[in-house]
Amino acid sequence: MALADSECSGSGCGDSVSPFTEIIELNVGGQVYVTRHRTLVAVPDSLLWNMFSKKSPKELARDSKGRFFLDRDGFLFRYILDYLRDLNLVLPDYFPEKSRLQREADFFQLRDLAKRLSPRVSKDNSISEETTHSDTEEGGAQLCVSSAPGMETLRAMSITGAVRSPSLDSRKSGYITIGYRGSYTIGRDIQTDAKFRRVARITVCGKTSLAKEVFGDTLNESRDPDRPPERYTSRYYLKYNFLEQAFDKLTETGFHMVACSSTGTCAYTSNDPNEDKIWTSYTEYVFCRD
């Protein structure tokens, strides 16, 4: 944990000294986050505001390492935290977790955020799949939230046709590598005796935040838990074993393949050279999003 709140000054500290430290460590559903105390209390009357301004540190649940514990979706909490930093919401393109994020916003009592994430209802009473991000496409107007006390909550920036979607600019670029091991047996008659073994596990290598954005709940993190969103890992794997399904996920989120490689080794099942050969291979596919 960091130094106490005595280091903050002016408007950042308020009238009374907070019992919390300036830097707060959180464990949200197994994901570790580090943020400032003033970020967590940015929205008055929210759940986090009540926890970290109305309660004392001794009243809050902690994990075995002393971090404040919240039993919520650790992946989606990054968007909650981003919203609290400047009260503005920017989601990546092809974001499949909008309804779940709205549920998290409701839980944390962030009413404005939940309202932005609610589905739009058109004039014919049909529900649109699009949700309100920080950019509003209708009329070229953008709704912004002011974080300064006493100012307007919403301001319209009517720059018709000149506003570029922030989601396009803020979408994170990077690489994800998909790998798998396989084996097959080739007998004396290659055309008829080839026996392929099913792919046992598809591994995922890359930045944690990108991997979770693409694969969501289908990503198995059991071999590398508590990995911060901006750290890299090579120990994740998928809960299914169809390469095509992984490729579809990557394509839907804007990735394209840039390279692939494969290596193979051969061994006999016995000392008899006439017996079947077992080939073992390892293949990697590298995907990129610019």
Side-chain angles (χ1 to χ4, degrees):
M1 305 290 284
L3 297 176
D5 219 358
S6 58
E7 295 183 2
C8 59
S9 59
S11 60
C13 287
D15 297 330
S16 60
V17 177
S18 171
F20 293 93
T21 57
E22 180 188 4
I23 305 300
I24 303 290
E25 290 188 66
L26 302 171
N27 177 348
V28 184
Q31 295 295 320
V32 177
Y33 291 90
V34 181
T35 186
R36 292 185 178 274
H37 176 263
R38 63 171 175 261
T39 300
L40 296 175
V41 297
V43 178
D45 297 322
S46 66
L47 177 67
L48 292 172
W49 182 85
N50 279 286
M51 289 177 60
F52 291 95
S53 65
K54 295 298 183 181
K55 296 184 178 181
S56 67
K58 293 182 180 179
E59 296 179 82
L60 302 180
R62 295 176 182 255
D63 65 7
S64 59
K65 296 185 179 180
R67 296 173 294 217
F68 295 106
F69 178 75
L70 292 167
D71 189 17
R72 300 303 296 180
D73 192 309
F75 167 61
L76 293 177
F77 187 75
R78 60 174 295 202
Y79 299 105
I80 299 292
L81 201 57
D82 281 345
Y83 172 77
L84 291 174
R85 290 190 178 108
D86 56 9
L87 301 185
N88 196 24
L89 176 65
V90 177
L91 295 178
D93 290 345
Y94 310 105
F95 186 68
E97 307 286 350
K98 294 173 185 176
S99 60
R100 294 181 60 187
L101 182 56
Q102 183 186 1
R103 184 181 64 183
E104 296 300 300
D106 287 331
F107 174 82
F108 287 106
Q109 300 171 18
L110 299 170
R111 297 176 182 83
D112 182 68
L113 177 59
K115 184 178 179 181
R116 295 187 187 200
L117 291 166
S118 62
R120 296 176 182 175
V121 179
S122 62
K123 294 180 179 179
D124 59 356
N125 292 327
S126 62
I127 297 177
S128 171
E129 293 294 329
E130 296 296 325
T131 60
T132 305
H133 295 89
S134 59
D135 56 300
T136 303
E137 297 176 359
E138 296 178 0
Q142 182 181 18
L143 297 180
C144 299
V145 180
S146 173
S147 58
M151 295 182 66
E152 297 179 0
T153 303
L154 297 176
R155 296 179 300 173
M157 298 174 61
S158 55
I159 311 175
T160 306
V163 179
R164 184 179 177 183
S165 172
S167 61
L168 295 178
D169 294 327
S170 63
R171 188 178 69 175
K172 291 186 177 181
S173 60
Y175 291 85
I176 289 181
T177 300
I178 299 297
Y180 75 95
R181 297 184 184 277
S183 66
Y184 52 92
T185 301
I186 297 181
R188 289 182 291 261
D189 186 345
I190 294 178
Q191 298 300 322
T192 59
D193 292 341
K195 299 176 182 179
F196 293 89
R197 191 180 72 178
R198 193 177 178 186
V199 175
R201 179 173 292 176
I202 301 173
T203 60
V204 178
C205 307
K207 187 175 289 187
T208 299
S209 58
L210 287 178
K212 291 183 177 180
E213 175 193 337
V214 173
F215 298 109
D217 291 338
T218 63
L219 192 69
N220 195 319
E221 307 168 45
S222 61
R223 295 195 303 166
D224 196 10
D226 298 337
R227 174 67 63 168
E230 299 307 313
R231 296 291 296 274
Y232 290 88
T233 181
S234 60
R235 297 179 60 79
Y236 289 167
Y237 61 93
L238 300 181
K239 297 178 181 179
Y240 51 82
N241 51 16
F242 298 101
L243 283 171
E244 294 80 5
Q245 189 173 350
F247 294 167
D248 285 343
K249 288 284 188 182
L250 287 158
T251 302
E252 290 170 2
T253 49
F255 283 84
H256 60 277
M257 188 187 301
V258 294
C260 66
S261 64
S262 182
T263 59
T265 58
C266 176
Y268 291 100
T269 57
S270 68
N271 294 328
D272 186 352
N274 294 320
E275 292 295 326
D276 294 349
K277 297 179 181 179
I278 296 180
W279 287 85
T280 302
S281 65
Y282 179 71
T283 305
E284 286 187 337
Y285 301 91
V286 182
F287 287 80
C288 174
R289 186 168 69 186
D290 299 325

